[in-house]
């Protein structure tokens, strides 16, 4: 659990993890030099539960370095990044670890809900329709299907999966978490996943999650076309390095990206006319 100034929400996250029916785990907390009450809360919980190892950084390392730090510190067979403001249903880890007894599976993708903390709103995604491709034996299908999902599908939650530790370390060497979308593509390029059933990861937001009000995105991006085109160029350049064998298809996909619009099941609009497979 990398954290910075998590005082308002970290208690609920810790309570959620410590209440898991699967109990054989170590919880590594790396406090990125918080300036609020995070340290006192973590010290309180660490004193009560020996599974918690709390480390306070002497200075703020930046989010990506803090994510890297907890991964480097892990010693278990499996690994999961846990955000300080999220929660998990009590059987989440049990179901995920049971799924990973299948050695052909490299990670368990989180069945997730989005929740507004202050507005008390929840959104559920039909994972079987949107993310079924992660279980495909076809590497090309996994990578391109992930790329072809609009970001409003919240596909980047894939980085909060439960992984085989060595697998995630290898993926993270290729692409750091500072670009979670690219890391997600690398993860799917390296291995197959499986969705965790009958247990949920709840991605929480203080107000509304990105994409909740799509019409506002249309207004917000109306004068930012050059900025968005630059971001697409950077994405293509990154994918050229990571997936040169698929770059022709990826260029077609990225060319169809829009900041706020998407087709059925969050597919990029127009994709159906470009690839017969999808």
């Amino acid at each position: 659990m990398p954290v910075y100034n998590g005082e308002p929400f970290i208690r609920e996250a810790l309570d959620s993890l410590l209440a898991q029916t699967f109990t054989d785990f170590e919880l590594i907390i790396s406090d990125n030099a918080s300036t609020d009450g995070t340290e006192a809360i973590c010290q309180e919980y660490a004193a009560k539960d020996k599974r918690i190892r709390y480390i306070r950084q002497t200075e703020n390392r930046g989010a990506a370095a803090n994510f890297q730090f907890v991964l480097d510190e892990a010693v278990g067979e499996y690994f999961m990044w846990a955000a300080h403001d999220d929660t998990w249903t009590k059987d989440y880890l049990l179901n995920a670890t049971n799924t990973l007894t299948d050695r052909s599976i490299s990670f368990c993708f989180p069945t997730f809900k989005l929740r507004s903390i202050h507005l008390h709103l929840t959104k559920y995604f039909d994972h079987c329709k949107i993310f079924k491709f992660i279980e495909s034996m076809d590497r090309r299908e996994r990578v391109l299907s992930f790329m072809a999902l609009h970001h409003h599908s919240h596909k980047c939650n894939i980085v909060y999966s439960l992984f085989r530790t060595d697998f995630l370390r290898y993926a993270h060497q290729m692409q750091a978490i500072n670009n979670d979308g690219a890391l997600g593509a690398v993860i799917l390029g390296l291995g197959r996943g499986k969705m965790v059933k009958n247990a949920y990861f709840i991605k929480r937001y203080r107000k509304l999650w990105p994409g909740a009000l799509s019409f506002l995105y249309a207004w917000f991006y109306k004068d930012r076309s050059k900025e968005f085109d630059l971001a697409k160029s950077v994405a293509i350049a990154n994918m050229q390095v990571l997936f040169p064998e698929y770059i022709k298809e990826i260029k077609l996909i990225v060319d169809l990206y829009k900041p706020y619009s998407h087709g059925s099941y969050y597919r990029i609009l127009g994709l159906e006319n470009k690839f017969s497979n999808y």
Side-chain angles (χ1 to χ4, degrees), residues 142-186:
R142 295 195 307 268
V143 172
L144 296 183
S145 293
F146 180 82
M147 290 291 299
L149 282 178
H150 193 275
H151 53 270
H152 286 176
S153 67
H154 294 262
K155 63 183 182 180
C156 293
N157 278 332
I158 193 173
V159 302
Y160 291 108
S161 299
L162 180 70
F163 297 94
R164 299 189 189 281
T165 307
D166 290 344
F167 171 86
L168 181 60
R169 282 182 173 142
Y170 185 68
H172 201 255
Q173 287 174 0
M174 295 177 63
Q175 171 60 59
I177 197 172
N178 62 316
N179 186 335
D180 52 3
L183 177 57
V186 168

Side-chain angles (χ1 to χ4, degrees), residues 135-243:
E135 301 181 8
S136 173
M137 299 292 289
D138 186 334
R139 179 177 185 264
R140 176 181 180 273
E141 180 182 358
R142 295 195 307 268
V143 172
L144 296 183
S145 293
F146 180 82
M147 290 291 299
L149 282 178
H150 193 275
H151 53 270
H152 286 176
S153 67
H154 294 262
K155 63 183 182 180
C156 293
N157 278 332
I158 193 173
V159 302
Y160 291 108
S161 299
L162 180 70
F163 297 94
R164 299 189 189 281
T165 307
D166 290 344
F167 171 86
L168 181 60
R169 282 182 173 142
Y170 185 68
H172 201 255
Q173 287 174 0
M174 295 177 63
Q175 171 60 59
I177 197 172
N178 62 316
N179 186 335
D180 52 3
L183 177 57
V186 168
I187 287 166
L188 286 161
L190 292 175
R192 294 172 58 228
K194 198 170 183 66
M195 287 175 283
V196 183
K197 297 180 179 179
N198 303 319
Y200 288 90
F201 153 71
I202 298 95
K203 187 66 182 172
R204 303 198 303 166
Y205 298 86
R206 295 186 183 216
K207 295 182 180 179
L208 283 172
W209 49 86
L213 301 173
S214 294
F215 66 92
L216 289 181
Y217 277 74
W219 175 83
F220 182 72
Y221 280 101
K222 64 181 180 180
D223 297 322
R224 300 181 65 186
S225 58
K226 290 184 178 179
E227 181 180 339
F228 193 72
D229 288 342
L230 176 61
K232 292 200 294 186
S233 298
V234 171
I236 289 174
N238 195 22
M239 290 296 111
Q240 174 75 64
V241 174
L242 294 171
F243 298 103

